[in-house]
């Protein structure tokens, strides 16, 4: 079909303009290839001729003189072999570059020869197109090289599990149309046949490939109408004998019937416009036209506002449209909507209990919390996990240095408090565990079967499934994985992942795809892009603040995610404080020149290491028993605009980075960024689009305000730790230094509480009537959460803790009312549970727990500012140890109280009890009560059995009794405890040193356990 360039609507694709340097480089690369591939064999044939003997070798040849001619011929044979190897490398690299089907094959023993061939071939391709366009990537979604092969990456337009409803829509016959229905039907068909329009898929031009999205955007005014074109042409025989089966799999030369309102110079109307095309093309279009289903077969058309084809067929089921932004899921399924899992025949009716997200508007409207953090469940879970580890680390440091573990730390305030609450509401630790366990299990299964890890470009995570989007067909997936909608998708159900061992039991299963990072959501599916598999540079375009929000979100998630073992994240020109989230993972650089200097050295080092190890990519080296500690990815996120020269250098580095485990994501305002093979655009309203791919997501973002709030959460932990480890030796936290000691209990008789809860050991509540059986567990759990947060709990945080899979607002509000009624009122008439000025639910002082009493007793006894007598301090510490009846909420039911994993109290309790035991033992030793000191330490060891400080104090206390045999028995017991906790490592060094001082020769008297140590 002739192309009418004059009337063609501009294509929304930017072709990189080649510089003179590109052309010059490509020209010299072409000359080098000609010399090496053609010139070398020609020169050998002309100057040397046939190098091998003309007759069969005999023994007499061994006695002949070795002449210069022999040396020349031997040298010629070596050069011929080297030439053959290099020619094979050129063929392999050229085939892979032009086809775009993943990484090129590795020619045995090629090494630098294949690397040289790759560089020359890539440079030559600059004469016709940007080399990045030949790398496998999302830019090639619309191409299928062979009828029996899948594309290098499956369609982004069709999200995993999506099936387009092809049932004909049936109009209800109106009374007025009963009499003339036949005539109207006939006229509509005749008019449709006259107005039918067609489009022939065009061959690629450089980096630009035709796609249904682009065709719909040019000729229908909206790329999202590509589904109408797909419906009109689905399963119809094309001129080459194949069929359109997926919206993304179209080939040059195919014919597409277009809707009636299509417009533009590339279209042909039949039969009037046949003079615009050749006779052969006209015959093909005519034949294709006859294959169209008739109006009767598809259903009647009408003027009801639905999209129709040129023949009047309705393309979308007669259901309400879906408004993604409003979150409306009540309407029917449209072409672009991801259907429920019931669309999969083998899982019909499966109920996975979808997680219901809270309704939020703007930046926290409705519930007062930042929406962007609530809408990022994997990021939120990772940040909370990292924050919990940081708080525990600071707590242990404070406890071991100053004994300040029992004092309350500073609670976040302002934007940091809102950020923490939003993280608690939005976090999906179950999703992180599912993703991590599924990927590690896949790695272990493939390793066991001696199969390599396939390259994946993306993963789609839903509530019930995980889909991996492969770069190409990789055979049948190992059970329990299954093939998805085609062979380039592998899928696993959440229930099936239970067949894999727990992560702590699968020591040999490395994290195979640590570079996965969330981009956003489409309907109910979350897209994670594998940044280290990007064949070149991934570019994010848009306004500076918008693209920075995308980069910050990805950086924060990579720094804290739970599906990686080891990783390096380099942020350039932004996020200097992100290093506080993960100091061992994140590195900050100011500009691109500094980055280029670092990455040139690292890329060369990795390439050499891969070659020496005999691997063609990091995936080969990552699988297997040693994979956990090798080939960790390095992901680079750049926010500063590179110059043209810097962009070329980055493009050169990124050209082969995917096999090295290095990924580049660059935020740019340029029309075309050198080396960018994947391009995304972030809009002002938070949509992430790749129009040529038919991909549109609700972007995951981390705007500057929320970025700063997250960093503040970690900064406050650092400040708190510094304060508790101050030089005054008092271990006073930031809050106490500011005059705030947190919630304390009136220990006098007048302070007797109205409601008392025991949380240490078995959970008991006194002063309240037991609620009815069905509602009792939730009410008791809610009270426990409130008792651990005397500063108050946001209602949405409370709901997220009790119903981690989601709950509606009306159920939450009804539960809060029931909780207020159950807790009752004080004699003054004030409710014992009421919202504070910020809307958080806080308990009155008349509701107390043993945890509150324990902290108060510890504070009263250990605060050096209080002038208490030794007898008073001993009594307070003894009472504190008496309260520590066991672990926190020891009898909590299975599957409940999951929110405790984000709390510091479980780590704080054993340290606080240890502090009390140490202080009481020291007091009693000083007063000559050696047996009492031993009893104090033994009571503390019940709650903190692994605390080395208690072990050492126990040795000192037993030594104070003067009983050598008892000390020897204690040493033997500590050796047994250490073997149970640490295996064959024996006692900690400081404990061994103390025993050497208190009991010389203890190893000979400590029994078998001592001898083993």
């Amino acid at each position: 079909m002739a192309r009418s360039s004059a009337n063609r609507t501009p294509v929304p694709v930017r072709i990189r303009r080649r510089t003179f340097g590109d052309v010059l480089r490509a020209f010299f690369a072409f000359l080098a290839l000609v010399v090496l591939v053609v010139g070398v064999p020609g020169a050998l044939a002309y100057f040397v001729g046939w190098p091998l003997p003309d007759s069969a070798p005999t023994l007499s040849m061994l006695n002949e003189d070795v002449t210069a001619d022999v040396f020349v011929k031997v040298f010629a044979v070596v050069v011929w072999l080297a030439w053959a190897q290099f020619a094979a490398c050129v063929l392999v690299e050229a085939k892979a570059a032009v086809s775009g089907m993943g990484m090129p094959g590795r020619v045995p023993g090629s090494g630098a020869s294949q690397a040289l061939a790759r560089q020359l071939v890539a440079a030559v391709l600059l004469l016709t197109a940007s080399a990045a366009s030949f790398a496998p990537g999302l830019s090639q979604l619309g191409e299928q090289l062979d009828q029996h092969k899948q594309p290098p990456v499956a369609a982004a337009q069709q999200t995993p599990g999506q099936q387009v409803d092809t049932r004909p829509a049936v109009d209800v016959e109106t009374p007025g149309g009963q009499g003339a229905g036949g005539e109207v039907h006939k006229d509509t068909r005749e008019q449709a046949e006259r107005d039918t329009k067609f489009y022939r898929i065009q061959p690629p031009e450089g980096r630009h490939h035709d796609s249904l999205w682009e065709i719909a955007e040019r000729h229908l005014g909206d790329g999202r109408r590509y589904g109408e074109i797909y419906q009109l042409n689905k399963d119809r025989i094309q001129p080459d004998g194949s069929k359109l089966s997926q919206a993304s799999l179209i080939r040059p030369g195919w014919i597409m019937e277009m809707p009636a309102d299509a417009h533009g110079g590339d279209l042909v109307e039949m039969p009037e416009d046949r003079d615009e095309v050749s006779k052969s093309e006209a015959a093909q279009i005519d034949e294709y036209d006859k294959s169209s289903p008739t109006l009767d077969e598809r259903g009647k058309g009408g003027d009801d506002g639905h999209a129709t084809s040129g023949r009047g067929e309705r393309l979308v089921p007669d259901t309400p449209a879906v408004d993604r932004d409003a979150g409306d899921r009540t309407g029917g399924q449209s072409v672009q909507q991801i259907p429920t899992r019931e669309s999969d025949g083998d899982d019909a009716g499966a109920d996975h209990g979808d997680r219901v997200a809270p309704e939020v508007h703007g930046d926290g409207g409705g519930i007062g919390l930042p929406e962007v953090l609530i809408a990022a469940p994997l990021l939120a879970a990772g940040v909370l996990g990292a924050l919990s580890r940081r708080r525990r680390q600071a707590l242990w440091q404070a406890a071991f240095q100053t004994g300040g573990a029992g004092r309350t730390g500073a609670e976040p305030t302002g934007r940091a408090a809102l950020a923490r609450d939003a993280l608690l509401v939005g976090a999906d630790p179950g999703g992180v565990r599912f993703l991590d366990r599924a990927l590690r299990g896949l790695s272990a299964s493939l390793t066991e079967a001696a199969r390599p890890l396939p390259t994946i470009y993306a993963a789609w995570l839903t509530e019930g499934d995980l889909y991996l989007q492969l770069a190409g067909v990789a055979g049948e997936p190992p059970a329990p994985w299954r093939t998805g909608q085609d062979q380039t998708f592998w899928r696993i159900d959440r229930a099936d992942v239970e067949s894999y061992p727990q992560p702590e039991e699968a020591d040999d299963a490395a994290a195979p795809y640590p570079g996965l990072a969330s981009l956003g959501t489409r309907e109910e599916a979350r897209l994670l892009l594998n940044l280290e598999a990007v064949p070149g540079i991934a570019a994010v375009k848009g306004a500076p603040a918008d693209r920075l929000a995308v980069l910050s979100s990805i950086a924060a998630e990579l720094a804290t995610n739970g599906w990686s073992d080891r990783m390096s994240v380099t942020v350039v020109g932004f996020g200097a404080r992100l290093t506080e989230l993960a100091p061992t993972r994140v590195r900050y650089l100011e500009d691109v020149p500094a980055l280029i200097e670092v990455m040139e050295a690292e890329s060369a080092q990795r390439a050499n290491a891969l070659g020496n190890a005999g691997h063609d990519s990091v995936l080969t080296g990552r699988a297997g028993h040693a994979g956990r500690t090798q080939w960790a990815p390095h992901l680079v996120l750049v926010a500063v605009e590179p110059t043209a020269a810097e962009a070329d250098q980055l493009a050169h580095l990124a050209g082969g980075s995917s096999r090295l485990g290095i990924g580049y994501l660059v935020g740019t305002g340029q029309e075309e960024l050198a080396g960018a093979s994947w391009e995304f655009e972030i809009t002002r309203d938070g949509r992430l689009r790749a129009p040529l791919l038919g991909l549109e997501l609700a972007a995951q973002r981390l705007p500057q305000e929320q970025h700063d709030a997250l960093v503040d959460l970690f900064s406050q932990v650092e400040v708190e730790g510094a304060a508790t480890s101050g030089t005054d030796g008092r271990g006073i936290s930031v809050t106490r230094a500011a005059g705030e000691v947190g919630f304390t209990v009136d220990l006098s008789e007048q302070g007797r509480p109205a409601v008392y809860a025991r949380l240490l050991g078995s959970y008991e509540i006194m002063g309240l009537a037991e609620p009815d059986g069905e509602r009792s567990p939730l009410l008791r759990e809610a009270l426990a959460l409130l008792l651990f947060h005397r500063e108050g709990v946001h209602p949405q945080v409370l709901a997220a803790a009790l119903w981690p899979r989601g709950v509606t607002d009306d159920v939450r509000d009804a539960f809060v009312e029931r909780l207020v009624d159950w807790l009752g009122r004080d004699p003054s008439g004030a409710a014992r549970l009421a919202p504070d000025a910020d809307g958080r639910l806080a308990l009155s002082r008349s509701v107390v727990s043993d945890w509150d009493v324990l902290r108060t007793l510890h504070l009263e006894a250990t605060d050096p500012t209080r002038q208490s007598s030794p007898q008073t301090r001993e009594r307070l510490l003894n009472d504190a140890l008496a309260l520590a009846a066991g672990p926190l909420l020891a009898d909590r039911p299975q599957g409940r109280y999951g929110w405790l994993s984000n709390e510091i109290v479980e780590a704080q309790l054993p340290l606080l009890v240890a502090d009390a035991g140490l202080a009481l033992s020291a007091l009693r030793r000083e007063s000559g009560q050696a047996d009492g000191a031993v009893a104090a330490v033994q009571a503390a060891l019940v709650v903190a059995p692994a605390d080395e400080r208690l072990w050492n104090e126990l040795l000192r206390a037993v030594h104070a009794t003067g009983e050598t045999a008892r000390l020897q028995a204690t040493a033997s017991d500590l050796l047994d405890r250490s073997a149970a906790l640490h295996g064959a490592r024996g006692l900690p060094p400081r404990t061994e040193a103390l025993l050497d001082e208190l009991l010389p020769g203890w190893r000979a008297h400590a029994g078998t356990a001592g001898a083993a140590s």
Side-chain angles (χ1 to χ4, degrees):
M1 180 182 299
R3 297 175 65 89
S4 179
S5 58
N7 298 326
R8 181 181 174 92
T9 304
V11 178
V13 180
R14 305 294 182 186
I15 308 301
R16 179 175 181 263
R17 294 176 176 83
R18 298 166 189 81
T19 64
F20 177 74
D22 291 337
V23 177
L24 192 63
R25 187 161 51 247
F27 175 73
F28 282 112
F30 176 75
L31 285 182
L33 279 176
V34 170
V35 170
L36 292 173
V37 176
V38 180
V40 169
L44 288 172
Y46 181 80
F47 292 105
V48 180
W50 180 254
L52 299 178
D54 296 328
S55 60
T58 62
L59 292 176
S60 62
M61 288 183 177
L62 298 177
N63 299 323
E64 294 179 358
D65 294 334
V66 178
T67 63
D69 185 59
V70 173
F71 278 110
V72 170
K73 290 185 178 295
V74 171
F75 176 74
V77 171
V78 174
V79 175
W80 271 110
L81 292 175
W83 172 85
Q85 184 189 59
F86 179 76
C89 293
V90 171
L91 290 176
V92 168
E93 294 294 333
K95 179 179 180 296
V98 174
S99 66
M101 294 299 290
M103 289 297 301
R106 186 171 181 268
V107 179
S110 59
S113 179
Q114 186 165 3
L116 174 62
R118 179 179 300 119
Q119 295 298 324
L120 293 176
V121 169
V124 168
L125 291 177
L126 287 173
L127 289 174
T128 57
S130 172
S133 68
F134 291 92
L138 296 179
S139 61
Q140 295 173 319
L141 289 177
E143 289 300 313
Q144 184 179 19
L145 300 177
D146 187 270
Q147 182 175 351
H148 303 292
K149 292 182 180 179
Q150 295 296 335
V153 61
Q157 294 100 319
Q158 187 177 5
T159 311
Q162 180 175 353
Q163 294 181 356
V164 180
D165 194 341
T166 58
R167 296 171 296 176
V170 179
D171 287 344
V172 178
E173 190 176 38
T174 58
Q178 294 178 359
E183 291 300 324
V184 172
H185 192 178
K186 179 179 178 181
D187 293 344
T188 302
R189 177 183 299 157
E190 292 176 352
Q191 182 63 35
E193 290 176 351
R194 289 195 301 269
D195 295 341
T196 302
K197 301 174 183 178
F198 297 89
Y199 176 83
R200 182 181 288 273
I201 304 301
Q202 301 299 321
E205 292 182 359
R207 295 181 59 197
H208 167 229
H209 300 267
D210 245 344
S211 68
L212 292 188
W213 177 285
E214 189 180 69
I215 296 168
E217 192 167 54
R218 283 202 309 267
H219 300 297
L220 300 178
D222 186 352
R224 288 172 292 186
R225 292 183 62 187
Y226 75 92
E228 301 176 25
I229 307 175
Y230 171 76
Q231 287 284 14
L232 277 174
N233 298 276
K234 183 176 181 292
D235 294 330
R236 292 169 63 181
I237 303 297
Q238 293 291 338
D240 62 0
S242 54
K243 297 179 181 180
L244 173 66
S245 59
Q246 293 188 29
S248 63
L249 305 183
I250 59 175
R251 300 184 191 174
W254 278 10
I255 299 167
M256 295 289 114
E257 183 178 339
M258 301 292 288
D261 61 338
H263 56 276
D266 291 338
L267 301 178
V268 175
E269 295 185 6
M270 296 296 294
E272 290 83 357
D273 291 345
R274 290 191 182 181
D275 57 339
E276 296 184 9
V277 298
S278 66
K279 291 183 178 180
S280 60
E281 290 175 324
Q284 289 178 353
I285 294 175
D286 194 24
E287 186 67 25
Y288 188 75
D289 182 39
K290 295 176 182 177
S291 70
S292 175
T294 65
L295 183 66
D296 295 329
E297 291 171 339
R298 290 203 178 185
K300 301 176 183 179
D303 298 329
D304 54 359
H306 290 280
T308 58
S309 73
R311 300 181 183 278
E313 299 93 344
R314 184 174 299 158
L315 303 178
V316 183
D318 191 9
T319 53
V322 177
D323 183 358
R324 291 193 189 93
D325 295 331
D328 183 9
R329 299 293 179 266
T330 60
Q333 177 182 310
S334 71
V335 173
Q336 298 178 357
Q337 182 183 359
I338 301 173
T340 59
R341 285 174 40 87
E342 281 72 11
S343 62
D344 293 338
D346 57 343
D347 292 315
D351 180 12
H352 295 273
D354 289 345
R355 191 172 186 267
V356 181
E359 295 181 4
V360 288
H361 308 279
D363 193 29
I367 65 172
L369 300 178
E371 175 185 355
V372 292
L373 296 179
I374 296 175
L378 303 184
L379 167 63
V383 171
L384 282 178
L387 181 63
S388 179
R389 291 189 295 272
R390 183 68 58 82
R391 294 186 68 189
R392 282 170 168 76
Q393 181 182 15
L395 183 66
W396 276 86
Q397 289 176 350
F400 275 85
Q401 292 174 13
T402 67
R407 296 176 172 84
T408 58
E411 288 295 331
T413 58
R415 66 185 183 186
L418 292 176
R420 181 201 58 182
D421 288 347
L423 293 173
L424 290 169
V425 172
D428 182 16
V432 173
R433 287 193 296 270
F434 170 41
L435 179 63
D436 182 47
R437 195 170 172 185
L439 294 178
R440 292 181 192 271
L442 174 64
S443 177
S445 298
L446 291 173
T447 299
E448 184 178 357
R451 294 175 58 185
L453 286 168
T455 299
I456 71 166
Y457 284 147
W460 293 89
L461 180 65
T462 70
E463 181 65 24
D465 309 283
L466 172 64
Y467 291 82
L468 298 184
Q469 200 166 343
L470 277 60
V473 177
E476 288 297 318
W481 289 80
R482 291 176 288 171
T483 302
Q485 59 208 56
D486 59 50
Q487 291 185 327
T488 60
F489 277 93
W490 285 3
R491 162 190 161 191
I492 189 171
D493 296 341
R494 189 180 288 254
D496 291 337
V497 83
E498 298 302 322
S499 63
Y500 284 139
Q502 294 288 346
E504 58 270 16
E505 300 171 0
D507 295 333
D508 293 334
Y513 304 111
L516 287 170
S518 300
L519 288 187
T521 56
R522 179 172 179 177
E523 304 296 341
E524 303 300 329
R526 182 169 299 277
L527 174 64
L528 292 91
L529 187 67
N530 190 9
L531 291 176
E532 66 172 330
V534 175
I537 294 175
V540 178
K541 301 179 180 180
D546 295 324
R547 62 179 189 253
L548 184 60
V550 173
L551 293 175
S552 295
S553 170
I554 293 175
E557 185 177 283
L558 290 173
T560 60
N561 74 42
W563 54 89
S564 303
D565 293 325
R566 295 170 59 245
M567 179 189 298
S568 297
V569 181
T570 297
V571 292
V572 183
F574 79 104
R577 297 180 65 199
L578 281 175
T579 55
E580 298 185 32
L581 273 65
T584 60
R585 276 195 184 187
V586 183
R587 171 176 56 184
Y588 168 76
L589 296 176
E590 289 187 358
D591 51 30
V592 176
L595 171 68
I596 292 173
E597 180 181 357
V598 170
M599 297 312 299
E600 282 180 342
E602 181 170 341
S603 297
Q605 182 181 11
R606 287 193 173 219
N608 291 334
L610 277 176
N612 294 335
H615 299 312
D616 57 354
S617 77
V618 293
L619 288 180
T620 310
R622 189 173 292 159
H625 300 303
R628 183 184 298 275
T629 57
Q630 295 183 7
W631 316 116
H634 186 173
L635 304 175
V636 179
L637 287 74
V638 183
V640 292
E641 195 75 61
T643 64
E646 292 168 350
D648 286 339
Q649 288 179 285
L650 283 178
H652 176 72
L653 287 171
S657 62
S658 59
R659 76 182 190 94
L660 303 178
I662 301 175
Y664 293 86
L665 181 64
V666 180
T668 178
Q670 300 179 24
E671 291 278 333
E672 273 294 322
L673 181 68
S677 55
W678 293 355
E679 296 180 351
F680 302 92
E681 179 184 359
I682 178 67
T683 64
R684 289 287 189 180
D685 59 351
R687 310 296 295 181
L688 191 67
R689 294 173 178 168
L692 297 182
L693 317 178
L695 183 65
E696 182 173 344
L697 306 168
Q700 181 170 299
R701 297 169 296 149
L702 188 63
Q704 189 63 42
E705 182 178 359
Q706 276 67 53
H707 169 278
D708 293 341
L710 289 189
V711 177
D712 286 348
L713 282 173
F714 287 79
S715 299
Q716 290 177 10
V717 172
E718 295 298 334
V719 172
E720 175 186 336
T724 56
S725 59
T727 56
D728 61 1
R730 296 179 297 171
I732 300 176
S733 68
V734 167
T735 310
R736 287 201 65 233
E740 301 175 6
V741 296
F743 180 79
T744 56
V745 178
D746 184 356
L747 298 176
S748 67
E749 185 66 26
Q750 292 75 19
R752 182 179 296 274
V755 178
Y756 184 73
R758 288 183 178 148
L759 304 175
L760 309 180
S762 297
Y763 188 6
E764 299 180 48
I765 303 174
M766 289 160 279
L768 288 176
E770 185 69 22
D772 62 72
E774 293 182 357
R775 290 170 177 163
S776 176
L778 276 178
L779 291 170
R780 291 165 63 89
E781 184 175 356
L783 178 58
L785 176 61
L786 290 164
L787 285 168
F788 289 132
H789 289 277
R790 303 304 305 228
E791 76 280 3
V793 177
H794 195 287
Q796 201 67 38
V797 175
L798 178 65
L802 300 180
W803 294 280
R805 298 177 68 86
V807 67
T808 56
D809 290 349
D810 57 339
V811 172
R812 178 200 66 204
D813 295 342
F815 175 79
V816 171
E817 291 180 6
R818 191 176 298 114
L819 181 62
V820 170
D821 292 340
W822 176 52
L823 292 174
R825 296 178 176 273
D826 289 329
S828 62
R832 292 176 181 145
L833 178 65
D836 61 13
D838 296 327
R840 289 180 168 82
L841 298 171
L843 292 169
S844 71
R845 299 188 64 85
S846 64
V847 182
V848 173
S849 71
D850 53 356
W851 171 245
D852 299 322
V853 177
L854 177 62
R855 290 194 305 172
T856 303
L857 289 169
H858 181 274
L859 178 65
E860 293 280 347
T862 60
D863 187 355
T865 64
R866 300 175 186 268
Q867 304 299 321
S868 301
S869 65
Q871 295 76 15
T872 301
R873 293 180 60 204
E874 181 178 354
R875 176 180 58 80
L876 292 172
L877 290 170
N878 191 60
D879 290 346
L881 286 178
L883 281 177
L888 200 67
L889 298 167
D891 58 353
R892 58 181 180 260
Q894 185 73 20
R896 302 300 310 178
Y897 296 84
W899 45 268
L900 275 173
S901 62
N902 294 320
E903 300 291 337
I904 194 65
V905 61
E906 281 198 300
Q908 194 173 18
L909 173 62
L911 292 178
L912 187 149
V913 172
D915 282 352
L918 291 169
L920 181 57
S921 177
L923 277 174
R924 287 177 174 174
R925 278 196 298 112
E926 291 173 1
S927 62
Q929 305 176 56
D931 288 332
V934 172
V937 178
Q938 290 176 335
L941 280 170
V942 173
V943 178
D947 197 316
E948 182 187 352
R949 298 173 302 160
L950 288 175
W951 293 12
N952 296 343
E953 180 61 25
L954 180 61
L955 291 173
R956 294 188 183 96
V958 173
H959 179 265
T961 65
E963 302 178 20
T964 304
R966 188 177 180 183
L967 183 58
Q968 291 174 347
T970 302
S972 180
D973 178 59
L974 290 184
L975 279 168
D976 292 338
R977 289 178 183 239
S978 179
L981 288 172
H982 308 300
R985 285 184 294 172
L987 290 173
R990 284 179 292 189
T991 304
E992 285 192 353
L994 181 60
L995 270 174
D996 289 337
E997 172 67 24
L998 301 179
L999 188 64
W1002 62 274
R1003 291 176 175 82
H1005 301 283
T1008 305
S1013 73

